[in-house]
């Protein structure tokens, strides 16, 4: 199988991730912090080490304020619902995944908040000037994706974060597509809340993710329960990470995520990004007639600028085939896994003019090889010839 759907979830996982989960499940597997015995202490130490590794990866100096969640959706809901108050104004963009758009749309529909959805420019980025104009005295939160899962473009989050900080609002970054792929510096980029998923670029298993909570921001817990610490308290403890981590965590998953974070720190995120960009360029360059396809996210950037400003994904359509048909042919005839459709980001496809059918997305990962993308290009060359 040729797997080019890493933006949905990374596959395969590195061997060290499989081994780390297996070893942890066999040797320890206790409930962290719930009991005083050695295995429970080991489980807690493993989780804390993962917090420290991820905090290092994100340039964040308070690992205890990195809380584990089920995925990015969980983290984004936790952030959005834990910080907004009645009457707040929120700024977001057309590039967002439904895990940002839907909770915000629902709150707007309920009359709880007001919402501004910024357009993206022809280069699929958010113009900081548009953002500046959208502020009003009630603006409390700016919620933006770092790298779009549809256009593949990376936003200028440092410029945006600085502007948000100057205006005393909070900056929530959806790093689902960028964590482990694009360098992130939480402090320098003036981020207040960073939501990430563990199963994409961070190379962990599904069921892992987290929210990094900066010191300026208060997030009310929306899941309360056992934390293993002070059980006598009638309410959720206020200290991190317990404040936002009610319930037994996904210990096996986090054991895998720890290995993903170790590997990324070893190889460096910059190298991963270079590798994935190269692969998308290689896909483009291996096509006999790339102009026969419609390219979304700027083919000239891929060909001429080596993918600068983008992550390693690209969307295409082929006239005469619906995206679903093209993806099905790639799967059934060539055993190539890609993703067709709207990618849970309908506003982004409206921005591109590909709504409602979407396009076929090819996304590379750390373990994708040049041969994988050449074979995908060769399948596309054959499909064109009929
Ligand atoms: C930009 C973006 N945000 C959020 C998510 C949600 O991630 P998860 O399904 O792991 O919660 C995704 C997943 O595709 C995504 O690409």
């Amino acid at each position: 199988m040729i797997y080019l759907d890493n933006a949905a979830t990374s596959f395969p996982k590195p061997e060290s991730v499989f081994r780390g989960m297996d070893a942890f499940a066999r040797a320890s597997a206790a409930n962290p912090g719930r009991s005083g015995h050695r295995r429970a202490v080991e489980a807690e130490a493993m989780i804390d080490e993962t917090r420290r590794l991820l905090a290092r990866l994100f340039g964040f100096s308070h690992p205890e304020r990195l809380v584990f969640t089920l995925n990015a959706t969980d983290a984004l809901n936790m952030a959005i619902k834990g910080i907004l108050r009645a009457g707040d104004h929120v700024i977001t963009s057309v590039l967002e995944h439904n895990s940002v758009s839907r909770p915000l749309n629902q709150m707007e529909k309920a009359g709880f908040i007001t919402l501004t959805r910024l357009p993206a420019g022809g280069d699929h980025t958010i113009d900081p000037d548009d953002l500046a104009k959208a502020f009003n005295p009630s603006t409390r939160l700016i919620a933006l994706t770092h790298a779009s899962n549809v256009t593949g473009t990376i936003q200028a989050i440092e410029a945006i974060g600085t502007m948000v900080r100057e205006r005393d609002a909070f900056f929530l970054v959806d790093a689902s597509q960028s964590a482990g792929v694009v360098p992130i510096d939480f402090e320098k980029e003036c981020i207040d809340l960073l939501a990430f998923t563990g199963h994409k670029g961070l190379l962990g298993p599904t069921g892992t993710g987290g929210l990094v909570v900066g010191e300026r921001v208060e997030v009310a817990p929306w899941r309360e329960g056992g934390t293993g610490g002070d059980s006598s308290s009638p309410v959720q403890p206020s200290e991190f990470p317990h404040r936002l981590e009610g319930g037994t965590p996904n210990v096996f998953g986090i054991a895998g995520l720890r290995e993903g974070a170790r590997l990324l720190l070893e190889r460096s995120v910059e190298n991963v990004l270079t590798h994935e960009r190269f692969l998308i360029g290689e896909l483009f360059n291996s096509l006999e007639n790339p102009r026969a396809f419609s390219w979304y996210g700027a083919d000239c950037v891929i060909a001429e600028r080596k993918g600068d400003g983008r992550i390693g994904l690209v969307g295409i359509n082929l006239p005469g085939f619906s995206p679903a048909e093209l993806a099905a042919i790639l799967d059934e005839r060539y055993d190539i896994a890609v993703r067709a459709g709207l990618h849970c980001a309908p506003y982004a496809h409206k921005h591109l003019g590909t709504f409602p059918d979407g396009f076929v997305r090819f996304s590379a990962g750390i373990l994708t090889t040049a041969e994988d993308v050449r074979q995908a290009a060769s399948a596309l060359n054959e499909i064109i010839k009929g």
Side-chain angles (χ1 to χ4, degrees), residues 5-80:
D5 195 18
N6 288 275
T9 197
S10 49
F11 181 85
K13 305 298 178 189
E15 270 307 309
S16 59
V17 171
F18 296 132
R19 279 200 302 270
M21 290 175 73
D22 184 74
F24 183 79
R26 289 172 198 281
S28 177
N31 199 331
R34 265 51 176 190
S35 318
H37 56 75
R38 255 175 303 158
R39 290 204 164 88
V41 172
E42 269 168 37
E44 187 149 28
M46 179 280 291
I47 291 183
D48 284 341
E49 189 190 355
T50 313
R51 264 188 241 287
R52 283 196 301 276
L53 293 170
L54 289 170
R56 216 167 100 208
L57 200 64
F58 300 145
F60 184 61
S61 48
H62 304 280
E64 73 286 356
R65 296 181 71 95
L66 185 155
V67 298
F68 288 108
T69 63
L70 296 174
N71 47 43
T73 304
D74 197 29
L76 288 161
N77 273 268
M78 188 183 274
I80 290 169

Side-chain angles (χ1 to χ4, degrees), residues 7-8 71-74 76 97 99-100 145 147-149 174 176-177 197 199-200 208 339 343 361:
N71 47 43
T73 304
D74 197 29
L76 288 161
H97 189 273
S99 53
V100 170
T145 184
S148 162
N149 65 323
D174 174 1
S176 299
Q177 293 294 341
T197 203
H199 64 96
K200 299 185 198 263
T208 57
R339 179 166 174 199
H343 314 95
R361 183 181 70 188

Side-chain angles (χ1 to χ4, degrees), residues 85-106:
R85 306 168 306 198
D88 283 340
H89 173 238
V90 180
I91 305 174
T92 186
S93 88
V94 294
L95 298 177
E96 306 313 309
H97 189 273
N98 275 337
S99 53
V100 170
S101 304
R102 284 182 171 167
L104 291 176
N105 289 347
Q106 185 57 37

Side-chain angles (χ1 to χ4, degrees), residues 310-329:
R310 311 175 44 81
I311 53 171
L313 66 83
V314 75
I316 63 164
N317 270 330
L318 182 59
F321 295 83
S322 73
E325 272 167 357
L326 184 56
I329 294 171

Side-chain angles (χ1 to χ4, degrees), residues 288 318 321 378-386:
E288 285 164 9
L318 182 59
F321 295 83
S378 140
L380 290 169
N381 288 335
E382 266 186 43
I383 292 169
I384 283 199
K385 286 176 195 151

Side-chain angles (χ1 to χ4, degrees), residues 133-214:
K133 286 185 207 134
F135 275 84
N136 73 36
S138 304
T139 306
R140 183 167 165 82
L141 182 69
I142 289 50
L144 293 179
T145 184
H146 187 188
S148 162
N149 65 323
V150 171
T151 65
T153 38
I154 301 169
Q155 301 302 316
I157 57 166
E158 188 172 345
I160 293 172
T162 307
M163 178 187 295
V164 174
R165 189 69 50 100
E166 280 164 1
R167 286 163 174 74
D168 216 19
F170 297 116
F171 188 25
L172 165 61
V173 173
D174 174 1
S176 299
Q177 293 294 341
S178 59
V181 176
V182 182
I184 293 175
D185 192 328
F186 188 95
E187 283 155 21
K188 185 160 164 261
E189 291 167 335
C190 299
I191 302 170
D192 293 298
L193 293 154
L194 184 90
F196 63 89
T197 203
H199 64 96
K200 299 185 198 263
L202 292 175
L203 309 170
T206 49
T208 57
L211 181 67
V212 186
V213 183

